[in-house]
Amino acid sequence: MTDAEFMKLAIKEAEKSKEPLKCGVVIVKDGEVVSKAFNTQRTDNNATAHAEVNAITLAGKQLRYKNLEGCVVYGTCEPCTMCLSAMIFARIDKLAYGLSLREVSSEIIDIDIDTFLNKSPYRFEVVKNYMEDECRKLL
């Protein structure tokens, strides 16, 4: 599958969400989907049930390991600081996201992703605004 096909899967995941802000994530390793998830904070009564955290949890169970080295995260929205922290702790290799947080939410901690990652001892590649127009249709 291609990067675009993986992002289309993330968009399909986002469409399943019942949240006001629909986010979807797909985690891929060696060209294979490891996990897919969407945000479920209200349905799960869990403030941490963001799409990224849900997908990381599922990927760890699937791979039977907490570290996700070699994995790429495709997300419809830029991760918040909580989700970025989870990605750092999971040691993902790359992130591609569609829409910036500033575009989709007024309730964000205003820390730029580059600033956040520059302060981290672990860094990963980031592709911003990937398939932005397709992701914008979720709004």
Side-chain angles (χ1 to χ4, degrees):
M1 293 179 71
T2 66
D3 289 336
E5 290 170 318
F6 291 130
M7 184 59 95
K8 286 178 184 174
L9 285 177
I11 291 168
K12 285 185 185 217
E13 284 300 301
E15 290 169 346
K16 296 177 186 177
S17 177
K18 295 179 178 148
E19 302 294 328
L21 173 57
K22 299 179 181 319
C23 294
V25 168
V26 171
I27 298 180
V28 174
K29 184 170 185 172
D30 300 326
E32 298 291 325
V33 174
V34 175
S35 67
K36 302 182 286 188
F38 52 93
N39 51 339
T40 59
Q41 300 97 294
R42 287 168 183 79
T43 55
D44 290 350
N45 296 311
N46 180 349
T48 67
H50 292 199
E52 297 88 346
V53 172
N54 291 343
I56 288 168
T57 299
L58 291 170
K61 289 178 182 178
Q62 177 69 23
L63 296 174
R64 302 178 128 183
Y65 194 59
K66 71 177 188 86
N67 290 341
L68 303 180
E69 286 126 339
C71 289
V72 179
V73 174
Y74 296 87
T76 57
C77 297
E78 177 183 5
C80 69
T81 55
M82 175 185 70
C83 293
L84 283 170
S85 294
M87 289 181 197
I88 288 166
F89 286 118
R91 305 190 86 60
I92 65 120
D93 283 0
K94 181 178 176 181
L95 162 68
Y97 70 82
L99 300 171
S100 73
L101 271 179
R102 285 185 180 92
E103 185 171 355
V104 298
S105 177
S106 60
E107 297 181 18
I108 62 170
I109 297 172
D110 193 16
I111 300 173
D112 177 81
I113 192 169
D114 296 319
T115 302
F116 189 90
L117 290 176
N118 283 337
K119 294 189 178 276
S120 168
Y122 181 82
R123 292 180 182 84
F124 50 82
E125 180 183 351
V126 177
V127 178
K128 300 175 183 180
N129 306 112
Y130 184 68
M131 293 179 60
E132 181 178 18
D133 291 336
E134 290 87 340
C135 293
R136 187 171 287 112
K137 293 174 185 172
L138 293 165
L139 299 178

